Amino acid sequence: VPYNWSGTVTPKLDGYEFSPPYIDYPLLIDTQSNQDYIATVLTFVIAGTTGMDGVQMKGLEDNSGQPVVSDMSGYYTATVKYGFSGTVEPKKDGYTFKPGSTMYTQVKSDRMTENYEASLVKLTISGKISGVKDVEIHGLPGVILGQDGTYTGTVDYGWQGTITPMKEGYDFKPESKTYPTITKDLSNENFVAAKKTFTISGSTTVPSVQLQVTPGRPVVSGQDSTYTINVEYGWSGTIIPTREGYEFEPSQLRFENVMAPEM
């Protein structure tokens, strides 16, 4: 610069600020050395809320290089360098977010209202109940039953509980299913129904007596004169003993709606 020059020197570079921001020279009459500046990269804040705590903001890092996590109030904040470009995606097990992600291109200002809405993931438990229709399923919320014996229930992510099928007169295998923590959809959670059976037993006082079971199959009493007949839950019918040369008292037994063993 010429002798007696006056002016201001201001360093400029996109993405940086300098200290000092400028130096004034009122009247230059000798050489000036060590006219140094310290450059610092510009940073900006990306902040907002996720609506809940513990959400990892994939794509934003803290000072230790770990993903930024929302606090107890659901608030998160991150510092990024001038010109930051990338995709930020909120993540927490069991939740989806709206929007699912945010893309940034050449950030050159603070972004203070980058908010997300969290929704709990819904999962399904489904299967089929074979052997009977119109079964009540206890313990499973939101059950929908199909005409073919299928069922579907909707639960929250992390649901815990026990499913028990029930219908009067039937046993189920397995009796129930217990779930400690549900983290994915479950299918083929099947049950098999079988009608309950009971025994009717007694003695004919003499062996080898044929007992006509109506409805049902005939039974013959044993050498010890005892007999056992298996019938289904709710069975109604008649048992008539016969043996050549004998008559019996009573001549027949009538049963209505058997719901327990008869002895």
Side-chain angles (χ1 to χ4, degrees), residues 128-133 135 148-149 167 170 172 191-195:
K128 187 172 184 178
I129 300 175
S130 304
V132 68
K133 294 183 178 180
V135 176
D148 58 352
K167 183 166 182 161
Y170 286 84
F172 293 87
F191 297 88
V192 177
K195 202 161 189 179

Side-chain angles (χ1 to χ4, degrees), residues 55-85:
V55 178
Q56 285 193 351
M57 306 304 294
K58 186 178 177 182
L60 296 177
E61 296 182 348
D62 59 20
N63 293 332
S64 63
Q66 298 299 312
V68 169
V69 179
S70 61
D71 63 17
M72 294 295 293
S73 299
Y75 183 77
Y76 74 93
T77 181
T79 300
V80 297
K81 293 181 179 180
Y82 176 96
F84 168 80
S85 296

